[in-house]
Coordinates of all heavy atoms in Angstrom, one line a residue:
M1 N 25.1 4.0 30.9 CA 24.7 4.5 29.5 C 25.5 3.8 28.5 O 25.0 3.5 27.4 CB 24.9 6.1 29.4 CG 23.9 6.8 29.9 SD 22.2 6.5 29.1 CE 21.2 7.8 29.9
A2 N 26.8 3.4 28.8 CA 27.6 2.7 27.8 C 27.4 1.2 27.8 O 27.8 0.5 26.9 CB 29.1 2.9 28.4
Q3 N 26.5 0.8 28.7 CA 26.2 -0.7 28.7 C 25.2 -0.8 27.5 O 24.2 -0.3 27.2 CB 25.4 -1.1 29.9 CG 26.5 -1.3 31.0 CD 25.9 -2.2 32.2 OE1 24.7 -2.3 32.2 NE2 26.7 -2.7 32.9
P4 N 25.6 -2.0 26.7 CA 24.8 -2.4 25.6 C 23.5 -3.1 26.0 O 23.5 -3.7 27.2 CB 25.7 -3.3 24.7 CG 26.7 -3.9 25.8 CD 26.8 -2.8 26.8
A5 N 22.5 -3.1 25.3 CA 21.2 -3.8 25.7 C 20.9 -4.9 24.5 O 20.3 -4.6 23.7 CB 20.1 -2.9 25.8
P6 N 21.6 -6.0 24.7 CA 21.6 -7.0 23.7 C 20.2 -7.5 23.4 O 19.9 -7.6 22.1 CB 22.5 -8.2 24.3 CG 23.0 -7.8 25.6 CD 22.3 -6.5 26.0
V7 N 19.3 -7.6 24.3 CA 18.0 -8.2 24.1 C 17.3 -7.2 23.2 O 16.6 -7.5 22.3 CB 17.2 -8.4 25.3 CG1 15.8 -8.9 25.0 CG2 18.0 -9.5 26.2
L8 N 17.4 -5.9 23.6 CA 16.5 -4.9 22.9 C 17.1 -4.7 21.4 O 16.3 -4.7 20.5 CB 16.8 -3.6 23.6 CG 15.9 -2.4 23.2 CD1 14.5 -2.7 23.7 CD2 16.4 -1.1 23.7
T9 N 18.4 -4.8 21.3 CA 19.0 -4.8 20.0 C 18.5 -5.9 19.1 O 18.2 -5.7 18.0 CB 20.5 -4.7 20.1 OG1 21.0 -3.9 21.0 CG2 21.2 -4.6 18.6
Q10 N 18.5 -7.1 19.6 CA 18.1 -8.3 18.9 C 16.6 -8.1 18.4 O 16.3 -8.4 17.3 CB 18.3 -9.4 19.8 CG 18.4 -10.7 19.0 CD 18.9 -11.9 19.9 OE1 18.4 -12.0 21.0 NE2 19.7 -12.8 19.4
C11 N 15.8 -7.6 19.3 CA 14.4 -7.4 19.1 C 14.3 -6.4 17.9 O 13.5 -6.6 17.1 CB 13.7 -6.9 20.3 SG 13.2 -8.2 21.3
A12 N 15.0 -5.3 18.0 CA 15.0 -4.3 16.9 C 15.3 -4.8 15.5 O 14.8 -4.6 14.5 CB 15.9 -3.1 17.3
V13 N 16.4 -5.7 15.5 CA 16.8 -6.2 14.2 C 15.8 -7.3 13.8 O 15.4 -7.2 12.6 CB 18.2 -6.9 14.5 CG1 18.5 -7.8 13.2 CG2 19.3 -5.9 14.8
H14 N 15.2 -8.0 14.8 CA 14.2 -8.9 14.3 C 13.0 -8.3 13.7 O 12.5 -8.7 12.7 CB 13.8 -9.6 15.5 CG 14.0 -11.2 15.5 ND1 15.1 -11.7 16.2 CD2 13.5 -12.1 14.9 CE1 15.1 -13.0 16.0 NE2 14.0 -13.3 15.1
A15 N 12.6 -7.2 14.5 CA 11.4 -6.5 13.9 C 11.7 -6.0 12.5 O 10.8 -5.9 11.6 CB 11.1 -5.4 14.9
M16 N 12.9 -5.5 12.3 CA 13.2 -5.0 10.9 C 13.2 -6.1 9.9 O 12.7 -5.8 8.8 CB 14.7 -4.3 10.9 CG 14.9 -3.2 10.0 SD 16.1 -2.1 10.6 CE 17.6 -3.1 10.4
I17 N 13.8 -7.2 10.2 CA 13.8 -8.4 9.2 C 12.4 -8.8 9.1 O 12.0 -9.0 7.8 CB 14.6 -9.5 9.8 CG1 16.1 -9.1 10.0 CG2 14.4 -10.8 9.0 CD1 17.0 -10.1 10.7
R18 N 11.7 -8.9 10.0 CA 10.1 -9.3 9.8 C 9.4 -8.3 9.0 O 8.6 -8.7 8.2 CB 9.5 -9.5 11.2 CG 10.0 -10.8 11.8 CD 9.4 -10.9 13.3 NE 7.9 -11.0 13.3 CZ 7.3 -11.2 14.4 NH1 7.9 -11.1 15.5 NH2 6.1 -11.3 14.4
K19 N 9.7 -7.1 9.2 CA 9.0 -6.1 8.4 C 9.4 -6.2 7.0 O 8.5 -6.1 6.0 CB 9.4 -4.6 8.9 CG 8.3 -3.7 8.8 CD 8.8 -2.4 9.4 CE 7.7 -1.3 9.3 NZ 8.3 0.0 10.0
R20 N 10.7 -6.4 6.7 CA 11.1 -6.5 5.3 C 10.5 -7.8 4.7 O 10.1 -7.7 3.5 CB 12.7 -6.7 5.3 CG 13.4 -5.4 5.3 CD 14.9 -5.5 5.1 NE 15.7 -4.4 5.3 CZ 16.8 -4.2 4.8 NH1 17.5 -5.3 4.2 NH2 17.5 -3.2 4.9
A21 N 10.5 -8.9 5.3 CA 10.0 -10.1 4.9 C 8.5 -10.0 4.4 O 8.1 -10.6 3.5 CB 10.2 -11.2 5.9
R22 N 7.8 -9.2 5.2 CA 6.4 -8.9 5.0 C 6.2 -8.3 3.6 O 5.3 -8.5 2.9 CB 5.8 -8.2 6.0 CG 4.5 -8.8 6.5 CD 4.0 -8.1 7.8 NE 3.5 -6.8 7.5 CZ 3.1 -6.0 8.5 NH1 2.8 -6.4 9.6 NH2 2.8 -4.8 8.2
F23 N 7.2 -7.2 3.4 CA 7.0 -6.5 2.2 C 7.4 -7.3 0.9 O 6.9 -7.0 -0.1 CB 7.8 -5.2 2.2 CG 7.1 -4.1 3.0 CD1 7.5 -3.6 4.1 CD2 6.0 -3.5 2.4 CE1 6.8 -2.6 4.8 CE2 5.3 -2.6 3.1 CZ 5.7 -2.1 4.3
S24 N 8.3 -8.2 1.1 CA 8.9 -8.9 -0.1 C 8.1 -10.3 -0.3 O 8.3 -10.9 -1.3 CB 10.3 -9.2 0.0 OG 10.5 -9.9 1.3
A25 N 7.3 -10.7 0.6 CA 6.5 -11.9 0.5 C 5.6 -11.9 -0.6 O 4.7 -11.0 -0.8 CB 5.7 -12.2 1.8
P26 N 5.8 -12.8 -1.6 CA 4.9 -12.7 -2.8 C 3.4 -12.9 -2.5 O 2.6 -12.3 -3.2 CB 5.5 -14.0 -3.6 CG 6.8 -14.4 -3.1 CD 6.6 -14.0 -1.5
G27 N 3.1 -13.6 -1.5 CA 1.7 -13.9 -1.1 C 1.0 -12.6 -0.8 O -0.1 -12.4 -1.0
E28 N 1.8 -11.6 -0.3 CA 1.1 -10.4 0.1 C 0.7 -9.5 -1.0 O 0.0 -8.5 -0.8 CB 2.2 -9.5 1.0 CG 2.5 -10.2 2.3 CD 1.4 -9.9 3.3 OE1 0.9 -8.8 3.4 OE2 1.0 -10.8 4.0
R29 N 1.3 -9.8 -2.2 CA 0.9 -8.9 -3.3 C -0.6 -9.0 -3.5 O -1.2 -8.1 -4.1 CB 1.6 -9.5 -4.6 CG 3.2 -9.2 -4.4 CD 3.5 -7.7 -4.3 NE 3.0 -6.9 -5.5 CZ 3.0 -5.6 -5.5 NH1 3.5 -5.0 -4.4 NH2 2.8 -4.9 -6.5
R30 N -1.3 -10.1 -3.3 CA -2.6 -10.3 -3.5 C -3.4 -9.3 -2.8 O -4.5 -8.7 -3.3 CB -3.1 -11.6 -3.2 CG -2.7 -12.7 -4.3 CD -3.5 -14.0 -4.1 NE -3.2 -14.5 -2.7 CZ -3.8 -15.6 -2.3 NH1 -4.7 -16.2 -3.0 NH2 -3.4 -16.2 -1.3
N31 N -3.0 -8.9 -1.5 CA -3.6 -8.0 -0.7 C -3.5 -6.5 -1.4 O -4.5 -5.7 -1.2 CB -3.0 -7.8 0.6 CG -3.5 -9.1 1.5 OD1 -4.3 -9.7 1.2 ND2 -2.7 -9.2 2.5
G32 N -2.5 -6.3 -2.2 CA -2.3 -5.1 -2.9 C -3.1 -4.9 -4.1 O -3.2 -3.8 -4.7
M33 N -3.8 -5.9 -4.5 CA -4.6 -5.8 -5.8 C -6.1 -5.8 -5.5 O -6.9 -6.1 -6.4 CB -4.3 -7.1 -6.6 CG -2.7 -7.1 -7.1 SD -2.2 -5.6 -7.9 CE -2.7 -6.0 -9.6
K34 N -6.4 -5.2 -4.4 CA -7.8 -5.2 -4.1 C -8.3 -3.8 -4.7 O -7.6 -2.9 -4.9 CB -8.1 -4.9 -2.5 CG -7.9 -6.4 -1.9 CD -8.0 -6.1 -0.4 CE -8.0 -7.6 0.3 NZ -7.8 -7.4 1.7
K35 N -9.7 -3.7 -4.9 CA -10.2 -2.5 -5.5 C -10.6 -1.6 -4.5 O -11.0 -2.0 -3.2 CB -11.6 -3.0 -6.3 CG -11.3 -3.8 -7.6 CD -12.6 -4.1 -8.2 CE -12.3 -4.9 -9.5 NZ -13.7 -5.2 -10.2
F36 N -10.6 -0.3 -4.7 CA -10.8 0.8 -3.8 C -11.8 1.8 -4.4 O -11.7 2.1 -5.6 CB -9.6 1.5 -3.3 CG -8.7 0.8 -2.3 CD1 -7.9 -0.3 -2.7 CD2 -8.8 1.1 -1.0 CE1 -7.1 -0.9 -1.9 CE2 -8.0 0.4 -0.1 CZ -7.2 -0.6 -0.6
E37 N -12.8 2.1 -3.6 CA -14.0 2.9 -4.1 C -13.8 4.3 -3.5 O -13.6 4.5 -2.3 CB -15.2 2.3 -3.7 CG -16.4 3.1 -4.3 CD -17.7 2.3 -4.1 OE1 -17.8 1.5 -3.3 OE2 -18.6 2.6 -4.9
C38 N -14.1 5.3 -4.3 CA -14.2 6.7 -3.9 C -15.6 7.0 -3.4 O -16.5 6.4 -4.0 CB -13.8 7.6 -5.1 SG -13.8 9.3 -4.8
P39 N -15.7 7.9 -2.6 CA -17.2 8.3 -2.2 C -18.0 8.7 -3.3 O -19.2 8.6 -3.3 CB -16.9 9.5 -1.1 CG -15.5 9.2 -0.6 CD -14.8 8.6 -1.8
C40 N -17.3 9.2 -4.5 CA -18.2 9.6 -5.6 C -18.7 8.4 -6.4 O -19.5 8.6 -7.4 CB -17.4 10.7 -6.4 SG -16.1 9.7 -7.5
G41 N -18.2 7.3 -6.2 CA -18.6 6.1 -6.8 C -17.5 5.4 -7.8 O -17.7 4.4 -8.3
Y42 N -16.5 6.3 -8.1 CA -15.4 5.7 -8.9 C -14.7 4.8 -8.1 O -14.4 4.6 -7.0 CB -14.4 7.0 -9.2 CG -13.1 6.5 -9.8 CD1 -13.0 6.2 -11.2 CD2 -11.9 6.2 -9.0 CE1 -11.8 5.8 -11.7 CE2 -10.8 5.9 -9.6 CZ -10.7 5.6 -11.0 OH -9.6 5.2 -11.5
V43 N -14.5 3.5 -8.9 CA -13.8 2.4 -8.3 C -12.3 2.3 -9.0 O -12.2 2.2 -10.2 CB -14.5 1.2 -8.4 CG1 -13.8 -0.1 -8.0 CG2 -15.9 1.2 -7.7
Y44 N -11.2 2.3 -8.1 CA -9.9 2.1 -8.7 C -9.8 0.6 -8.8 O -9.7 -0.2 -7.8 CB -8.8 2.7 -7.8 CG -7.6 2.4 -8.4 CD1 -7.0 3.0 -9.5 CD2 -6.9 1.3 -7.8 CE1 -5.8 2.7 -10.0 CE2 -5.6 1.0 -8.3 CZ -5.1 1.7 -9.4 OH -3.7 1.4 -10.0
D45 N -9.6 0.1 -10.0 CA -9.3 -1.4 -10.2 C -7.8 -1.4 -10.5 O -7.4 -1.0 -11.7 CB -10.1 -1.9 -11.3 CG -10.0 -3.4 -11.5 OD1 -9.0 -3.9 -11.1 OD2 -10.9 -4.0 -12.3
P46 N -7.0 -2.2 -9.7 CA -5.5 -2.1 -10.0 C -5.3 -2.9 -11.3 O -4.2 -2.5 -11.9 CB -5.1 -3.2 -8.9 CG -6.1 -3.1 -7.8 CD -7.4 -2.9 -8.6
Q47 N -6.1 -3.7 -11.9 CA -5.8 -4.4 -13.1 C -6.0 -3.4 -14.3 O -5.5 -3.5 -15.4 CB -6.8 -5.6 -13.3 CG -6.9 -6.5 -12.2 CD -7.0 -7.9 -12.6 OE1 -6.9 -8.3 -13.8 NE2 -7.2 -8.8 -11.7
V48 N -6.8 -2.3 -14.0 CA -7.0 -1.4 -15.1 C -6.1 -0.1 -14.8 O -5.6 0.4 -15.8 CB -8.5 -0.9 -15.1 CG1 -8.7 0.2 -16.1 CG2 -9.4 -2.0 -15.3
G49 N -5.9 0.2 -13.6 CA -5.0 1.4 -13.3 C -5.8 2.6 -13.6 O -7.0 2.6 -13.6
D50 N -5.1 3.7 -13.8 CA -5.7 5.0 -14.3 C -4.7 5.6 -15.3 O -4.0 6.5 -14.9 CB -5.9 5.9 -13.0 CG -6.4 7.2 -13.4 OD1 -7.1 7.4 -14.4 OD2 -6.2 8.3 -12.6
P51 N -4.8 5.0 -16.4 CA -3.9 5.5 -17.5 C -3.9 7.0 -17.7 O -2.9 7.7 -17.9 CB -4.4 4.8 -18.7 CG -5.1 3.6 -18.2 CD -5.7 4.0 -16.9
E52 N -5.1 7.7 -17.6 CA -5.2 9.1 -17.8 C -4.6 9.8 -16.6 O -4.1 11.0 -16.7 CB -6.7 9.5 -18.0 CG -7.2 9.2 -19.2 CD -8.7 9.5 -19.4 OE1 -9.1 10.6 -18.9 OE2 -9.4 8.8 -20.0
G53 N -4.5 9.2 -15.4 CA -3.9 9.8 -14.3 C -2.4 9.4 -14.1 O -1.8 9.7 -13.1
G54 N -1.9 8.6 -15.1 CA -0.4 8.3 -15.1 C -0.2 7.1 -14.3 O 0.9 6.7 -14.0
I55 N -1.3 6.3 -14.0 CA -1.2 5.0 -13.2 C -1.2 3.9 -14.2 O -2.3 3.7 -14.8 CB -2.2 4.9 -12.2 CG1 -2.3 6.2 -11.2 CG2 -1.9 3.7 -11.3 CD1 -0.9 6.6 -10.5
A56 N -0.3 3.1 -14.3 CA -0.3 2.0 -15.3 C -1.1 0.8 -14.8 O -1.2 0.6 -13.5 CB 1.2 1.5 -15.5
P57 N -1.7 0.1 -15.7 CA -2.4 -1.2 -15.3 C -1.5 -2.1 -14.5 O -0.4 -2.2 -14.9 CB -2.9 -1.7 -16.7 CG -2.8 -0.5 -17.7 CD -1.7 0.3 -17.1
G58 N -2.1 -2.7 -13.5 CA -1.3 -3.6 -12.7 C -0.7 -2.9 -11.5 O 0.0 -3.5 -10.8
T59 N -1.0 -1.6 -11.3 CA -0.5 -0.9 -10.0 C -1.4 -1.0 -8.9 O -2.5 -0.8 -9.0 CB -0.4 0.6 -10.4 OG1 0.4 0.7 -11.6 CG2 0.3 1.4 -9.2
A60 N -0.9 -1.6 -7.9 CA -1.7 -1.8 -6.6 C -2.0 -0.4 -6.1 O -1.3 0.5 -6.2 CB -0.9 -2.5 -5.5
F61 N -3.2 -0.3 -5.4 CA -3.6 1.0 -4.9 C -2.5 1.5 -3.9 O -2.3 2.7 -3.9 CB -4.9 0.8 -4.1 CG -5.5 2.1 -3.6 CD1 -6.2 2.9 -4.5 CD2 -5.5 2.5 -2.3 CE1 -6.8 4.1 -4.1 CE2 -6.1 3.7 -1.9 CZ -6.7 4.5 -2.9
E62 N -1.9 0.6 -3.1 CA -0.9 1.1 -2.2 C 0.4 1.7 -2.9 O 1.1 2.5 -2.3 CB -0.4 0.0 -1.3 CG -1.4 -0.5 -0.3 CD -2.2 -1.6 -0.9 OE1 -3.2 -1.5 -1.6 OE2 -1.9 -2.8 -0.6
D63 N 0.5 1.3 -4.1 CA 1.7 1.8 -4.9 C 1.4 3.2 -5.7 O 2.3 3.6 -6.2 CB 2.1 0.7 -5.8 CG 2.7 -0.5 -5.1 OD1 3.1 -0.4 -4.0 OD2 2.7 -1.6 -5.7
I64 N 0.2 3.5 -5.6 CA -0.1 4.8 -6.2 C 0.4 5.9 -5.5 O 0.5 6.0 -4.3 CB -1.6 5.1 -6.4 CG1 -2.3 3.9 -7.1 CG2 -1.9 6.3 -6.9 CD1 -3.8 4.0 -7.1
P65 N 1.2 7.0 -6.2 CA 1.7 8.1 -5.5 C 0.6 8.8 -4.7 O -0.5 8.8 -5.0 CB 2.1 9.1 -6.7 CG 2.3 8.0 -7.9 CD 1.3 7.0 -7.6
E66 N 1.2 9.3 -3.5 CA 0.3 10.0 -2.6 C -0.4 11.2 -3.1 O -1.4 11.6 -2.5 CB 1.2 10.3 -1.2 CG 1.5 9.2 -0.4 CD 0.4 8.3 0.1 OE1 -0.7 8.9 0.5 OE2 0.4 7.1 0.0
D67 N 0.1 11.8 -4.2 CA -0.5 13.0 -4.7 C -1.4 12.6 -5.8 O -2.1 13.6 -6.4 CB 0.6 13.9 -5.2 CG 1.5 13.3 -6.4 OD1 1.3 12.1 -6.6 OD2 2.3 14.0 -6.9
W68 N -1.8 11.4 -6.0 CA -2.7 11.0 -7.0 C -4.1 11.3 -6.4 O -4.4 11.2 -5.2 CB -2.7 9.5 -7.3 CG -3.7 8.9 -8.2 CD1 -3.6 8.9 -9.6 CD2 -4.9 8.3 -8.0 NE1 -4.7 8.4 -10.0 CE2 -5.5 8.0 -9.1 CE3 -5.5 8.0 -6.7 CZ2 -6.8 7.3 -9.2 CZ3 -6.8 7.3 -6.8 CH2 -7.3 7.0 -8.0
V69 N -5.1 11.7 -7.3 CA -6.4 12.1 -6.9 C -7.4 11.4 -7.9 O -7.0 10.9 -8.9 CB -6.7 13.6 -6.8 CG1 -5.8 14.3 -5.9 CG2 -6.4 14.2 -8.2
C70 N -8.6 11.1 -7.3 CA -9.7 10.5 -8.1 C -9.9 11.3 -9.2 O -10.0 12.5 -9.3 CB -11.0 10.6 -7.3 SG -12.5 10.1 -8.1
P71 N -9.9 10.6 -10.5 CA -10.1 11.2 -11.7 C -11.5 12.0 -11.9 O -11.7 12.7 -12.9 CB -9.9 10.2 -12.9 CG -10.1 8.8 -12.1 CD -9.7 9.2 -10.6
I72 N -12.4 11.4 -11.1 CA -13.8 12.0 -11.2 C -14.0 13.2 -10.3 O -14.4 14.3 -10.9 CB -14.7 10.9 -10.8 CG1 -14.5 9.6 -11.6 CG2 -16.3 11.4 -11.1 CD1 -14.7 9.7 -13.1
C73 N -13.6 13.1 -9.1 CA -14.0 14.2 -8.2 C -12.9 14.9 -7.6 O -12.9 16.0 -6.9 CB -15.0 13.7 -7.1 SG -14.0 12.6 -5.9
G74 N -11.7 14.3 -7.7 CA -10.4 15.0 -7.3 C -10.1 14.7 -5.8 O -9.2 15.4 -5.3
L75 N -10.8 13.8 -5.2 CA -10.4 13.5 -3.7 C -9.1 12.7 -3.8 O -8.8 12.0 -4.6 CB -11.5 12.7 -3.1 CG -12.8 13.5 -2.6 CD1 -13.8 12.6 -2.0 CD2 -12.3 14.5 -1.5
G76 N -8.4 12.8 -2.5 CA -7.1 12.1 -2.5 C -7.3 10.7 -2.1 O -8.5 10.1 -1.8
K77 N -6.3 9.9 -2.1 CA -6.4 8.5 -1.7 C -6.9 8.2 -0.4 O -7.5 7.2 -0.2 CB -4.9 7.9 -1.7 CG -4.3 7.7 -3.1 CD -2.9 7.2 -3.0 CE -2.8 5.7 -2.4 NZ -1.4 5.3 -2.3
D78 N -6.8 9.2 0.6 CA -7.3 9.0 1.9 C -8.9 8.8 1.9 O -9.4 8.2 2.8 CB -7.0 10.2 2.8 CG -5.6 10.2 3.1 OD1 -4.9 9.3 2.8 OD2 -5.2 11.3 3.7
A79 N -9.6 9.3 0.9 CA -11.0 9.2 0.9 C -11.5 7.9 0.4 O -12.6 7.5 0.5 CB -11.5 10.3 0.0
F80 N -10.6 7.1 -0.3 CA -11.0 5.8 -0.8 C -11.2 4.7 0.2 O -10.5 4.7 1.3 CB -9.9 5.3 -1.8 CG -10.1 6.0 -3.1 CD1 -9.7 7.3 -3.3 CD2 -10.5 5.3 -4.2 CE1 -9.8 8.0 -4.5 CE2 -10.5 6.0 -5.5 CZ -10.3 7.3 -5.6
T81 N -12.0 3.9 0.1 CA -12.3 2.7 0.9 C -12.2 1.3 0.2 O -12.5 1.4 -1.1 CB -13.7 2.8 1.6 OG1 -14.7 2.9 0.6 CG2 -13.7 3.9 2.7
E82 N -11.7 0.4 0.9 CA -11.6 -0.9 0.1 C -13.0 -1.5 -0.2 O -13.9 -1.4 0.6 CB -10.9 -1.8 1.2 CG -10.2 -3.0 0.6 CD -9.6 -3.9 1.6 OE1 -8.6 -3.3 2.3 OE2 -9.8 -5.0 1.6
V83 N -12.9 -2.0 -1.4 CA -14.2 -2.6 -1.8 C -14.4 -4.0 -1.4 O -13.4 -4.9 -1.7 CB -14.4 -2.5 -3.3 CG1 -15.7 -3.1 -3.8 CG2 -14.3 -1.1 -3.8
Ligands
ZN101 ZN1 -14.1 10.4 -6.5

């Protein structure tokens, strides 16, 4: 039990670094600026945001708080699909 597992540790650190790099990579931001559509027909456009819902223009869909709901029908983010 006291024996270290160097390979496993290295892998875990590696995975952590790779995960971080993915989040901070500038190129990935484009993926976050996609439009998402609600079943009711409302489309969330990151460039427009949802000022009435407290979402500033330029906010990626992923960055919207989890408690945000569709301004039209009140469904949560889970109901939205990528356009
Ligand atoms: Zn809706």
